Amino acid sequence: MEIQEKILKLKKQKNAVILAHFYQTSDIQDIADFVEDSLGLSQKASTTKADIIVFAGVHFMAETAKIINPQKKVLIPDINAVCSLADSCKITDLKKYKEKYPDHKVISYINCSAEVKTLSDVICTSSNAVKIVNSFSKNQKLIFAPDKNLGAYVNKITGRNMVLWNGECKVHDLLSTESILTIKLDNPDAKIIAHPECKAIVLEMADFIGSTAAMLAFVKKDSAKRFIIATETGIIHQMKKIAPEKEFIIVSKDKTCSCNDCEYMKMNTMEKLYDCLLKETPEIKLPLEIIVKARIPLQKMLDLSNIEKNK
Ligand code: 13P
Ligand code: SF4
């Protein structure tokens, strides 16, 4: 039996759901029940009726699903699939940081640990960061953690002056203007679209900036036929699916470099996915007190996002 069939059979037997991020390998995206951005995945985790959630993504995403569903079993194909951005912000350091800014509220990007979530007033993703920041009154002082690039972008859009934690995604942060310009020179008709985790200097060159889901929606509806994509490589699979007649050129330092493959996202494989479903391990486990505290800012984000959706 093919591995795809074995996974589907087990999934049915165990009443499991497979949630996958757009940066997963194509075969994992194709077998998943839902392939979404970080917001979409947390929304799916909040409504699933499955007994087991297999999270094909990185550790903070699976932790988020566990915080939302403490009673469910949450599995991740590779427990070492972490995130450089989430790792840049440790709870003890954030505690000290908050002491320096006692009258500031903390907005944390979802790319952070469950512990860091417990110190946050609200969570955001790249698709709702501007809305979440705007939900605070103009004179409320804010700390934005841990992504300084997304934080700077949101500061620019909202006209705020949030204090920014000094963290970055090592995949997006290394995408350079030089590599984009080289591609643009060869492809002058192609539109540049970029994820807000990229540096400000890269974002300034972009025709469109948005989360992975927003990038997908843009390439589908926009009249351009060719796009230069400044984000992780996995997104190209969905882009080709939703707009097969269009062309997508991924930004990288040179033709042989796979530097914008996220090494953590790509740790998950079909074999590991099958194995984790079969053996029900590695499982995400969190102390109840962390779940209880981290759930508050996360639920606030989900509520604010639903209000926006229902408008
Ligand atoms: P989104 O899919 O929410 O845009 O996030 C991108 C990312 O870097 C996830 O790790
Ligand atoms: Fe973290 Fe960047 Fe990988 Fe996303 S792409 S999981 S932010 S290291």
Side-chain angles (χ1 to χ4, degrees):
M1 207 192 291
E2 293 276 331
I3 192 147
Q4 281 84 351
E5 276 176 76
K6 292 204 283 191
I7 293 172
L8 292 174
K9 199 170 156 208
L10 260 185
K11 190 172 74 97
K12 201 166 169 198
Q13 267 170 19
K14 298 194 174 203
N15 188 28
V17 67
I18 302 175
L19 304 182
H21 188 267
F22 291 127
Y23 296 163
Q24 291 293 288
T25 53
S26 310
D27 47 3
I28 293 183
Q29 292 189 35
D30 288 344
I31 205 154
D33 295 283
F34 300 102
V35 191
E36 306 257 356
D37 69 354
S38 309
L39 178 63
L41 289 170
S42 34
Q43 286 168 329
K44 287 290 180 309
S46 72
T47 52
T48 183
K49 298 269 183 291
D51 297 314
I52 296 179
I53 298 174
V54 182
F55 214 113
V58 289
H59 198 266
F60 76 82
M61 295 180 168
E63 266 189 354
T64 303
K66 183 69 185 174
I67 296 164
I68 296 169
N69 291 287
Q71 74 292 356
K72 291 191 200 289
K73 193 171 258 188
V74 178
L75 306 171
I76 182 165
D78 190 324
I79 199 77
N80 298 314
V82 291
C83 166
S84 67
L85 178 55
D87 277 355
S88 75
C89 188
K90 305 280 183 232
I91 184 169
T92 41
D93 299 331
L94 185 60
K95 255 187 198 151
K96 285 188 208 138
Y97 201 70
K98 276 181 73 165
E99 282 162 15
K100 285 206 292 185
Y101 303 99
D103 50 354
H104 287 54
K105 300 256 190 222
V106 179
I107 303 181
S108 292
Y109 189 32
I110 198 161
N111 300 35
C112 65
S113 67
E115 284 178 322
V116 163
K117 288 184 175 75
T118 66
L119 293 185
S120 312
D121 292 284
V122 66
I123 304 302
C124 72
T125 74
S126 55
S127 28
N128 61 20
V130 169
K131 282 174 194 160
I132 299 284
V133 169
N134 281 338
S135 72
F136 287 90
S137 72
K138 278 277 176 205
N139 48 16
Q140 174 61 57
K141 294 178 180 166
L142 299 167
I143 293 173
F144 190 91
D147 189 353
K148 64 176 183 212
N149 291 336
L150 176 64
Y153 169 70
V154 177
N155 266 347
K156 191 174 164 197
I157 300 286
T158 60
R160 305 249 179 176
N161 188 21
M162 298 188 291
V163 176
L164 307 179
W165 182 267
N166 188 19
E168 76 273 312
C169 157
K170 68 178 184 189
V171 176
H172 289 90
D173 196 63
L174 65 70
L175 299 182
S176 66
T177 48
E178 291 78 14
S179 42
I180 297 174
L181 272 175
T182 310
I183 302 174
K184 182 75 177 172
L185 280 174
D186 289 343
N187 307 275
D189 59 315
K191 279 194 180 164
I192 301 169
I193 65 171
H195 194 279
E197 287 175 17
C198 294
K199 287 198 230 4
I201 188 164
V202 165
L203 297 181
E204 272 163 30
M205 298 173 71
D207 296 291
F208 178 77
I209 299 164
S211 70
T212 49
M215 284 174 143
L216 274 170
F218 182 78
V219 299
K220 189 172 180 201
K221 74 160 202 294
D222 194 73
S223 58
K225 296 279 172 277
R226 307 172 77 227
F227 299 89
I228 297 167
I229 313 294
T231 191
E232 210 270 356
T233 53
I235 192 77
I236 302 292
H237 182 59
Q238 290 300 320
M239 288 183 170
K240 284 184 178 159
K241 273 187 160 180
I242 62 154
E245 73 290 3
K246 299 189 179 179
E247 194 188 329
F248 308 104
I249 309 153
I250 192 87
V251 174
S252 61
K253 269 195 180 153
D254 60 59
K255 287 198 169 66
T256 54
C257 157
S258 60
C259 33
N260 52 339
D261 267 328
C262 171
E263 62 182 292
Y264 311 111
M265 285 281 182
K266 299 298 196 268
M267 278 180 180
N268 296 325
T269 61
M270 289 289 273
E271 288 70 27
K272 289 179 194 171
L273 200 162
Y274 171 68
D275 243 40
C276 92
L277 196 48
L278 182 71
K279 299 177 187 149
E280 299 188 17
T281 184
E283 185 184 352
I284 301 290
K285 291 195 172 153
L286 286 170
L288 191 58
E289 54 171 303
I290 300 264
I291 291 182
V292 171
K293 283 191 197 155
R295 205 186 159 97
I296 299 167
L298 199 53
Q299 190 60 49
K300 209 179 271 176
M301 174 191 84
L302 291 171
D303 293 346
L304 283 166
S305 304
N306 284 338
I307 293 166
E308 287 302 327
K309 221 165 57 176
N310 297 336
K311 264 186 189 169

